[in-house]
Amino acid sequence: MVLDLTPDELLTTTRSVRKRLDFSRPVERELVEECLALALQAPTGSNRQGWQWVVVTEPDTRRAIAEHYGRNFDLYLGMRQPEYAEGDARAARQDAVRDSATFLRVHLHEAPVLVIPLLEGRIDGADAFAQASYWGSILPAAWSFMLALRSRGLGSAWTTLHLPNEREVAELLGIPFDRYTQAGLFPVAHTAGTDFAPARRVPLDAVTHWERW
Ligand SMILES: Cc1cc2nc3c(=O)[nH]c(=O)nc-3n(C[C@H](O)[C@H](O)[C@H](O)COP(=O)(O)O)c2cc1C
């Protein structure tokens, strides 16, 4: 079933869902495939389509990935976080994001499905052109995947914190590390309810430059 959302509603209410992921409800394989098929409509540099997608449902494997994630999350949480001025949209959400992210850290292994998008090649140390072309060939598809999930009553959160252990996770999943780079980790579950709200952001005029910086 596809939710009755306008394009603008879909674009403004596709959130990082963590506490409202319903871990008790299985996710049908067909739904994941439908959302991945939509993601494959995203653009890629030179139409290379060098992507691969690893979908993990096996509980022990999910737990092993979540352990890497959790260790890195704990280190990250202990690091100095950015400080924002009072009234800044980011300051207002900082505690809630931290609380929500900590919840996901504890429960990540319970997500019925974990999806890892991969892109052919490794880009370590490359210049801005190569980096932008590389990441720009997987990130639009990953976002489309999140939009497609949302449109079908599922949710996810874009995460990257397992990546300090990218090599270990590659070994665990049989991914050829030298040939494929992992772009993130997406826990997937049905959401508890389907009403989500637009987020408060840093205002447009603070981030837009017309004609010149
Ligand atoms: C590149 C990237 C990496 C992220 N990594 C994580 C992560 O490892 N863990 C997590 O809980 N959230 C992660 N997030 C989610 C952000 O915290 C979230 O997008 C932000 O707080 C805004 O919330 P919203 O997506 O609901 O608008 C990541 C988002 C992006 C785009």
Side-chain angles (χ1 to χ4, degrees):
M1 189 198 70
V2 178
L3 301 179
D4 186 19
L5 295 170
T6 66
D8 286 5
E9 283 167 347
L10 180 67
L11 288 168
T12 53
T13 64
T14 302
R15 296 268 73 77
S16 295
V17 187
R18 304 182 186 95
K19 290 186 173 177
R20 286 176 60 194
L21 293 173
D22 183 352
F23 298 134
S24 66
R25 202 172 147 193
V27 170
E28 306 76 359
R29 182 186 175 115
E30 296 69 38
L31 269 178
V32 176
E33 285 175 343
E34 234 174 83
C35 294
L36 287 174
L38 288 165
L40 299 193
Q41 291 294 316
T44 53
S46 306
N47 196 25
R48 285 281 292 276
Q49 300 173 52
W51 45 41
Q52 298 287 327
W53 304 77
V54 178
V55 183
V56 180
T57 63
E58 206 278 312
D60 288 346
T61 315
R62 283 167 13 210
R63 189 175 281 281
I65 296 170
E67 274 169 21
H68 288 299
Y69 181 94
R71 259 195 324 276
N72 296 323
F73 180 89
D74 295 343
L75 290 172
Y76 175 76
L77 204 66
M79 283 158 57
R80 214 181 133 91
Q81 300 300 316
E83 284 170 27
Y84 302 113
E86 217 180 297
D88 186 297
R90 292 163 294 187
R93 294 294 302 156
Q94 212 165 13
D95 286 350
V97 170
R98 195 184 165 99
D99 189 49
S100 167
T102 302
F103 175 89
L104 183 66
R105 179 260 181 269
V106 173
H107 294 279
L108 182 63
H109 64 282
E110 295 174 46
V113 176
L114 299 177
V115 173
I116 297 181
L118 303 141
L119 193 63
E120 197 173 9
R122 301 208 65 87
I123 199 74
D124 316 304
D127 66 14
F129 167 68
Q131 291 272 357
S133 305
Y134 187 79
W135 293 115
S137 294
I138 187 65
L139 304 189
W143 180 236
S144 289
F145 179 61
M146 283 188 70
L147 293 170
L149 291 171
R150 160 78 176 126
S151 75
R152 282 154 175 75
L154 298 145
S156 187
W158 192 304
T159 85
T160 46
L161 275 166
H162 83 288
L163 288 173
N165 295 108
E166 186 196 353
R167 192 182 281 277
E168 288 84 349
V169 172
E171 270 165 27
L172 183 73
L173 300 174
I175 295 166
F177 178 85
D178 295 342
R179 294 196 291 119
Y180 281 90
T181 305
Q182 298 169 47
L185 171 69
F186 295 77
V188 174
H190 287 276
T191 57
T194 56
D195 56 314
F196 289 90
R200 195 174 146 224
R201 294 291 201 229
V202 175
L204 182 65
D205 62 8
V207 296
T208 317
H209 310 262
W210 285 75
E211 319 308 349
R212 289 173 67 80
W213 179 272

